[in-house]
Amino acid sequence: MKKYIITLLLTCSALFPLIAQSDQSSVLEQIERNNKTIQAQKQNLEAQKLEFKVDLPLYNPNFEYDYMIGSPSGAGSLTDIWINQSFDFPTAYGKRKKLSEGLVGQADLALMASRQEILLQAQKNYIELVFRNKLQKQISSRQAATEKLLIDFEKKLETGDGNILDVNKAKLQLIEINKEYQLNLAGINQLQQNLKSLNGGLDIELVTTDFPEESGLPEFEALFAEFKLTDPLWKYYELENETSKKQVELMKAMALPKISTGYRYQTLLGQTFQGFRVGASIPLWENKYKVRQKEAELSFAVLQWTDYQNTRYFELRQLYERYEKLSATLQDYRNVLENISSIAYLDKALELGHISTIEYFLESNYFYMAYTNYLQTENDYHQVKAELLRFRL
C-alpha cells in the first residue's frame, strides 16, 4: 500500500500544470499550409485581383468597312472605312486605378481575416484537446487506484477480513470512472478528427499535451490599440470606407462626357475623302441613379464601419474582464492544489480504518471534482486568451 501511495502521489504531481512550450505553433503552421479552404481562397484571390483590373484598359478600338455598288450600272461604287477609339473623361482613369488598388487591398484583408478565423478554430480545438488529454490522465489515475482498491477488497473478502459492501462500492465507483473515461476518450477522438479535417485530411502528430508557455496580457487599452493596428477586419472596414468614396468619385467622373476620336476614309465616283473625326457622348440618362446609388453605399459603409468599431471594442472589453477573472481563479486553484495531498491522506486513513469506504469515495470524488474544475478553468482561460489574441495569428 505504501508503494501504491507513493506512485499515486507522483502521478497526481505530474497532473499539475507545467510551464512548457507546446507544439501549438507547429500545428497551426501545418494547418495554414494544408487547409483546403485557405488554399481555395488564395486561388480565388488571384481571380478577384484580375477582376478588379478588368475595367482599367481602354475601350476596344472600332473598325468599320463598307463597300457598296451603285445602281444603275455605271453609277460606280462607294468605299467607306472608319477607325474609331472611345475614351472616358480623362479624370476617370486615375480614379478607376485607385479604386482597383483599394479593392485589391480589401480582398487581401478578407483573405487574412478568413485565415485567422480558421487558425483560431484550430487553436481552440488544440486547447480543448490539451485539456481533454490532461483530464484523461486524471481519470486514468483514478481508474488505476480504484482497480487496485477493488482487488484489495476482493482479497480481503476471500480471507474473511473484508465485506461484500466494500467490494460493491468499489465496483460501482469503477463503473462511473470507466464511463467518464470512455466519454472523454470520445471527445479526444472528435477533436483529433477536427484538427485532421482542418489540416486538409492529413494526420497531425502532437509532441506534447501541455499548453504554450504562459505570458500575461498588457492593459486593455494597450491591447486594443494593438488590435486596431493589426486586425484585418478593422483595416478592411476602414479601407471599405475609402473605396466607397472612390466609387462615388468615379461615378461622378463617369457622368462627364465620353470622348471619341477616329479616322475616316471614303471613295465615291473616283473621288477620295479622308480626315479625322471627334465626337462626344453626353450621359444624360445612363448614369442618372448611379451616383446616388454609390452615395447610399458609402453611407452604409460608414455605418458598418462605426458599428464594427463599437461592437469589437465592447466584445474585447468583456473578454478581457473574463480573462482577468479566470486568471485570478486559476491562480487560486494552483495555490491550493499544489499544497495538498488529499488522496494520500485518504489512502492512509482508509488503510488504518479511520474512515469507511463510502467516506473514502465521497472525499476522493470531492478532490477529483475540484481538480477537474481546475482543468476546466485552465481550459477556459486559454480559450478566452486565444480569442483576445486572434489578431496576432
Side-chain angles (χ1 to χ4, degrees):
M1 177 62 74
K2 184 178 292 184
K3 182 180 178 182
Y4 164 68
I5 293 172
I6 294 173
T7 302
L8 184 59
L9 280 173
L10 290 173
T11 304
C12 288
S13 298
L15 291 176
F16 291 116
L18 302 174
I19 304 301
Q21 183 63 42
S22 77
D23 59 342
Q24 177 179 283
S25 297
S26 174
V27 169
L28 295 184
E29 287 171 5
Q30 290 180 63
I31 289 175
E32 182 175 7
R33 184 169 59 250
N34 299 319
N35 184 266
K36 300 303 180 185
T37 301
I38 293 177
Q39 291 175 1
Q41 288 177 342
K42 284 181 178 178
Q43 291 297 320
N44 185 54
L45 176 63
E46 296 305 314
Q48 284 183 307
K49 287 181 177 180
L50 292 174
E51 180 185 353
F52 297 144
K53 295 178 180 179
V54 165
D55 294 331
L56 291 181
L58 297 173
Y59 296 114
N60 293 326
N62 186 45
F63 174 81
E64 296 181 22
Y65 174 79
D66 295 324
Y67 179 75
M68 293 173 284
I69 300 175
S71 180
S73 60
S77 62
L78 170 66
T79 300
D80 206 350
I81 299 174
W82 291 67
I83 300 175
N84 192 63
Q85 175 68 58
S86 296
F87 303 88
D88 288 321
F89 201 80
T91 57
Y93 291 97
K95 297 183 184 302
R96 188 178 285 135
K97 186 174 185 298
K98 290 180 180 179
L99 175 60
S100 174
E101 291 170 351
L103 292 172
V104 168
Q106 277 187 259
D108 284 328
L109 292 168
L111 174 62
M112 290 174 60
S114 177
R115 168 191 162 278
Q116 280 189 357
E117 183 64 33
I118 291 170
L119 292 183
L120 177 64
Q121 184 182 351
Q123 185 180 24
K124 296 184 78 171
N125 271 268
Y126 176 88
I127 291 169
E128 182 77 16
L129 184 57
V130 171
F131 158 68
R132 290 282 180 181
N133 284 334
K134 295 179 81 169
L135 183 60
Q136 197 74 345
K137 287 183 181 180
Q138 183 231 63
I139 297 172
S140 297
S141 173
R142 293 175 61 195
Q143 193 179 50
T146 306
E147 287 172 350
K148 176 67 171 57
L149 282 175
L150 178 58
I151 292 171
D152 290 344
F153 289 155
E154 287 176 336
K155 286 180 179 179
K156 289 180 180 179
L157 182 64
E158 291 174 1
T159 60
D161 296 327
N163 62 76
I164 190 64
L165 293 177
D166 287 343
V167 172
N168 289 339
K169 290 168 190 172
K171 285 182 178 179
L172 288 172
Q173 183 75 1
L174 189 58
I175 289 173
E176 291 297 321
I177 294 172
N178 287 338
K179 182 185 74 171
E180 289 182 39
Y181 182 93
Q182 293 301 326
L183 288 174
N184 194 59
L185 183 61
I188 289 173
N189 292 334
Q190 182 180 348
L191 290 165
Q192 289 174 334
Q193 290 300 313
N194 290 346
L195 287 174
K196 183 177 180 179
S197 175
L198 289 169
N199 198 38
L202 303 176
D203 289 325
I204 293 182
E205 295 295 331
L206 299 182
V207 178
T208 179
T209 55
D210 292 316
F211 289 110
E213 184 175 350
E214 290 185 23
S215 58
L217 295 181
E219 294 295 326
F220 175 74
E221 294 303 331
L223 183 70
F224 188 68
E226 182 186 354
F227 168 81
K228 290 193 293 183
L229 290 174
T230 56
D231 177 52
L233 279 178
W234 188 282
K235 293 181 178 180
Y236 176 91
Y237 287 116
E238 188 174 23
L239 186 56
E240 186 179 46
N241 264 317
E242 297 301 317
T243 55
S244 295
K245 291 175 184 176
K246 289 181 174 64
Q247 285 179 329
V248 172
E249 294 172 0
L250 177 60
M251 283 300 103
K252 289 180 178 179
M254 295 296 290
L256 298 173
K258 289 183 174 59
I259 301 169
S260 63
T261 62
Y263 170 78
R264 183 175 183 182
Y265 174 87
Q266 186 179 75
T267 61
L268 177 63
L269 299 175
Q271 299 180 65
T272 300
F273 302 90
Q274 59 182 324
F276 293 95
R277 65 187 296 270
V278 177
S281 172
I282 302 174
L284 294 178
W285 303 285
E286 186 177 307
N287 295 319
K288 184 176 181 181
Y289 297 107
K290 288 185 178 180
V291 173
R292 289 168 60 184
Q293 176 199 351
K294 295 302 177 183
E295 288 175 339
E297 290 177 359
L298 172 59
S299 298
F300 172 74
V302 171
L303 291 172
Q304 193 175 34
W305 167 224
T306 303
D307 179 64
Y308 181 77
Q309 292 179 71
N310 291 334
T311 300
R312 290 304 290 153
Y313 177 84
F314 289 108
E315 283 179 351
L316 290 175
R317 187 79 195 181
Q318 291 170 10
L319 280 171
Y320 194 88
E321 289 175 359
R322 190 176 177 213
Y323 158 80
E324 290 180 317
K325 289 180 173 59
L326 285 170
S327 180
T329 303
L330 188 60
Q331 191 57 51
D332 289 341
Y333 269 120
R334 286 175 178 170
N335 292 338
V336 173
L337 291 174
E338 287 176 355
N339 296 307
I340 63 173
S341 301
S342 295
I343 299 300
Y345 293 140
L346 287 172
D347 286 334
K348 188 66 176 177
L350 181 64
E351 183 183 3
L352 297 174
H354 294 165
I355 59 174
S356 66
T357 305
I358 188 65
E359 288 173 324
Y360 174 86
F361 284 130
L362 285 173
E363 292 296 328
S364 64
N365 284 343
Y366 179 78
F367 173 79
Y368 284 125
M369 181 181 67
Y371 187 76
T372 300
N373 289 338
Y374 158 71
L375 292 180
Q376 184 62 62
T377 301
E378 187 182 41
N379 177 47
D380 293 342
Y381 166 83
H382 284 282
Q383 295 281 358
V384 169
K385 190 174 178 182
E387 285 275 6
L388 281 168
L389 298 179
R390 65 184 296 174
F391 61 89
R392 291 183 181 176
L393 292 174

